[in-house]
Amino acid sequence: MILVFGGTTEGKQVAEILDELEVPYYYSTKANIEFTGNGTSIHGILTISGIENFCNKYGITQIINASHPFAIELHKTIADISIDVPLIKFQREFTARIEHSLVYYASSFEDALQYFEKKKYNSLVALSGVQTISKLQSFWKKNQTWFRILDRDSSRMIAAKANFPQENLLFGYPQSQNKEMELFNTLSPDVIFTKESGSNGKLNEKIAAALATNIPIVILEKPEISNRYLCVSTKEALQEKIKPVI
């Protein structure tokens, strides 16, 4: 039996692969979302002991972490379990970083904020998700800022809890380069902030749109994960890793 941590595009891909192979699995997400795969859906936050107990109870022989690349706490929690089961990280493709005067890769939120201050930016479009509103609070409390978030109640609640101005919320997903350019031209911010979210997050489109509109873009670098994980990014590679447990 395999335990999958999903809730992402990668999670859906893993579920489809396991369904195709007719491998039984549990599909774990933080929130209670609609799941159409053949596996058993579970939801809620699992602690280290919670994962260990679940694995022992249900005979889990392998864990596939297909969560978001910035789900730092979850990555660490899974890697810190004491039971000896293989851990696979099914991750999205990441392209090479771009060297350009308008592109800056920040190592942390603190680094990004210091860069904003250094460059004396006064307005910002943040494409980094609702969870980053609190991280950038020291900037948006003083400067014009727009956040693009998912159009759902849970995201609105997080923004409201942070007291972020409702009128400065943008709703939707990453778009094509042309659509992103339209947004950037309409708002005309001093800087754009996003995450190194890879191909599924349409990072290349965001960068291209920023460069085409001559607006600086600051990109939060993806976090490093434990070397306990066996990292794969293709269907074929994942199938090879799960063969021993089929």
Side-chain angles (χ1 to χ4, degrees):
M1 183 70 78
I2 293 176
L3 173 59
V4 178
F5 287 89
T8 57
T9 301
E10 294 77 33
K12 292 178 181 178
Q13 292 172 342
V14 169
E16 290 172 357
I17 293 169
L18 296 180
D19 288 344
E20 182 180 325
L21 296 172
E22 298 183 347
V23 176
Y25 63 96
Y26 287 93
Y27 189 83
S28 175
T29 56
K30 182 177 180 180
N32 186 10
I33 63 172
E34 182 180 357
F35 178 68
T36 58
N38 295 334
T40 302
S41 177
I42 61 173
H43 68 275
I45 298 175
L46 288 174
T47 61
I48 294 174
S49 61
I51 296 174
E52 292 172 345
N53 291 336
F54 189 92
C55 290
N56 289 327
K57 181 176 181 179
Y58 294 102
I60 300 301
T61 55
Q62 199 168 65
I63 293 176
I64 302 176
N65 180 359
S67 63
H68 194 278
F70 281 84
I72 301 173
E73 186 174 345
L74 178 58
H75 299 329
K76 186 177 186 305
T77 298
I78 297 170
D80 285 347
I81 62 174
S82 59
I83 58 178
D84 185 21
V85 295
L87 305 182
I88 297 174
K89 181 69 178 78
F90 187 77
Q91 57 190 12
R92 58 189 64 177
E93 296 282 356
F94 291 92
T95 55
R97 291 175 180 170
I98 295 175
E99 291 188 15
H100 193 284
S101 60
L102 291 177
V103 180
Y104 179 77
Y105 289 88
S107 59
S108 63
F109 285 100
E110 292 74 18
D111 183 21
L113 289 167
Q114 290 173 7
Y115 189 77
F116 296 161
E117 184 176 357
K118 174 184 175 182
K119 293 293 185 178
K120 300 186 179 350
Y121 294 139
N122 295 310
S123 59
L124 165 71
V125 168
L127 308 176
S128 48
V130 71
Q131 298 290 351
T132 64
I133 289 178
S134 60
K135 302 289 187 180
L136 299 177
Q137 186 174 31
S138 63
F139 183 88
W140 61 257
K141 284 283 188 179
K142 301 176 183 177
N143 302 282
Q144 176 79 305
T145 304
W146 297 269
F147 268 90
R148 184 165 69 194
I149 67 174
L150 296 179
D151 189 5
R152 60 190 185 192
D153 291 341
S154 58
S155 294
R156 290 186 179 87
M157 288 176 61
I158 293 172
K161 186 176 181 180
N163 293 317
F164 186 79
Q166 184 176 354
E167 62 273 17
N168 283 14
L169 290 175
L170 311 170
F171 299 99
Y173 292 90
Q175 301 293 319
S176 66
Q177 177 184 336
N178 287 339
K179 287 293 185 180
E180 299 290 35
M181 287 172 61
E182 288 180 18
L183 175 65
F184 300 164
N185 281 324
T186 298
L187 299 178
S188 191
D190 288 345
V191 64
I192 296 152
F193 179 73
T194 191
K195 293 178 177 177
E196 191 178 16
S197 51
S199 57
N200 287 346
K202 294 192 175 180
L203 178 60
N204 287 347
E205 287 82 351
K206 295 173 187 175
I207 295 174
L211 298 184
T213 53
N214 201 38
I215 299 175
I217 182 168
V218 174
I219 303 166
L220 182 66
E221 295 176 348
K222 69 179 187 299
E224 298 295 327
I225 63 171
S226 169
N227 58 13
R228 185 176 175 185
Y229 286 105
L230 303 171
C231 297
V232 297
S233 58
T234 66
K235 175 181 178 179
E236 294 73 22
L238 179 61
Q239 288 176 326
E240 286 298 318
K241 295 297 182 185
I242 65 178
K243 271 184 179 179
V245 299
I246 295 178

